[in-house]
Amino acid sequence: MADSGDIRGRPDFGLDAAAVVYGYAILGLVGVGLLTTAAVAIPSSVLLGWGLWALIIGLGVAGLMVYSSRIGKIRVRDRLLDTLQLRGDEDVLDLGCGSGLMVLGAAARTPAGTFTGIDLWRARDQAGATRQQCLTNAERLGVSEQVRLVDGDMTDLPFPDGSFDLVLACLAIHNLHPTALRIAAIAEAIRVLRPGVQLAVIDIAGTGSYLSAATNAGMLHPRRSGYVLGIWPPARTVTATSPNQAPPIEV
């Protein structure tokens, strides 16, 4: 199983919402300061109460988010890929691939396949989410020859209809605003799927609209999971299968 990055050359899949993590960590440190003040300088039940609240919420949420980025999301990814029962020769697309969590996870278990990641490489969504980091992770996993990266917008994919056997996304589509752009990304994902193959998305928000979009597009077996263990804020998975026949072309 792939794991978080360190000096031994393991892949590093970035810190999600780093600014939020740092904000909660600072809140926790403020709590430490308030508790210290209440204990040493200004005895006060109010300071004590606010200090405990800030410490528990701040460091607690920061810790959950760091765990999610470094360990949890990797385990959730692996559980999802296990359920897809890949043949081993699929053409796979990852929307908002970032540092490569999904596309490289699929490549590591699909030796005869081809793998495309598309992204705009915005560091504010994930610290360390750069094209170079994705390439470095691919090298560390030994899948560089199978992977290509494309600079592009997931709401306007530069691929023909029916190009892929599997479209994946993880913690990426929710970054699109407004909701109409998220629906556009799902529509594009469905457009580039071949008949009888799968769409699989992990996300912390918007999954109800993804499910509705897949259902309205005629996808088969659309399903939204309950909250999955390991990702914070809580995430769900949405899966669906494209119809066995492509829709007729209107002329």
Side-chain angles (χ1 to χ4, degrees):
M1 180 186 299
D3 201 351
S4 56
D6 62 19
I7 60 174
R8 291 174 291 179
R10 297 179 186 176
D12 182 351
F13 295 118
L15 178 63
D16 298 307
V20 177
V21 175
Y22 299 150
Y24 275 107
I26 290 170
L27 178 62
L29 294 177
V30 169
V32 172
L34 291 174
L35 289 173
T36 301
T37 301
V40 176
I42 309 174
S44 166
S45 60
V46 173
L47 285 178
L48 180 63
W50 279 106
L52 284 172
W53 176 87
L55 175 66
I56 293 170
I57 298 298
L59 296 187
V61 173
L64 285 171
M65 293 183 72
V66 170
Y67 173 85
S68 172
S69 291
R70 299 306 187 187
I71 299 173
K73 70 182 182 183
I74 300 168
R75 293 178 174 175
V76 171
R77 174 204 66 187
D78 288 340
R79 290 197 298 268
L80 175 61
L81 291 177
D82 284 344
T83 69
L84 298 181
Q85 300 179 337
L86 302 177
R87 299 185 310 269
D89 62 351
E90 285 87 352
D91 298 316
V92 179
L93 173 65
D94 182 11
L95 304 178
C97 64
S99 51
L101 175 72
M102 297 301 288
V103 68
L104 302 184
R109 60 178 68 203
T110 314
T114 64
F115 305 89
T116 303
I118 186 168
D119 208 323
L120 293 174
W121 318 105
R122 298 189 302 195
R124 72 172 181 264
D125 297 330
Q126 182 189 85
T130 66
R131 166 187 277 272
Q132 184 54 54
Q133 184 59 49
C134 190
L135 293 172
T136 298
N137 287 338
E139 292 174 0
R140 290 172 175 175
L141 289 169
V143 296
S144 298
E145 298 301 317
Q146 298 167 257
V147 176
R148 66 165 175 158
L149 300 180
V150 176
D151 296 336
D153 186 342
M154 69 177 82
T155 67
D156 186 19
L157 296 175
F159 312 115
D161 296 359
S163 296
F164 297 98
D165 300 302
L166 173 64
V167 175
L168 301 168
C170 182
L171 306 180
I173 299 176
H174 78 273
N175 292 311
L176 298 174
H177 299 282
T179 300
L181 289 180
R182 301 178 184 180
I183 301 305
I186 296 296
E188 279 290 271
I190 293 170
R191 178 183 67 79
V192 299
L193 282 172
R194 292 173 180 143
V197 297
Q198 292 180 293
L199 167 70
V201 178
I202 303 168
D203 220 331
I204 60 174
T207 54
S209 63
Y210 308 165
L211 183 68
S212 296
T215 302
N216 294 338
M219 295 284 281
L220 305 178
H221 315 299
R223 179 180 180 274
R224 182 173 69 156
S225 74
Y227 291 114
V228 297
L229 295 176
I231 293 178
W232 189 268
R236 298 175 186 258
T237 62
V238 174
T239 55
T241 302
S242 57
N244 289 326
Q245 291 184 341
I249 299 175
E250 296 185 3
V251 296

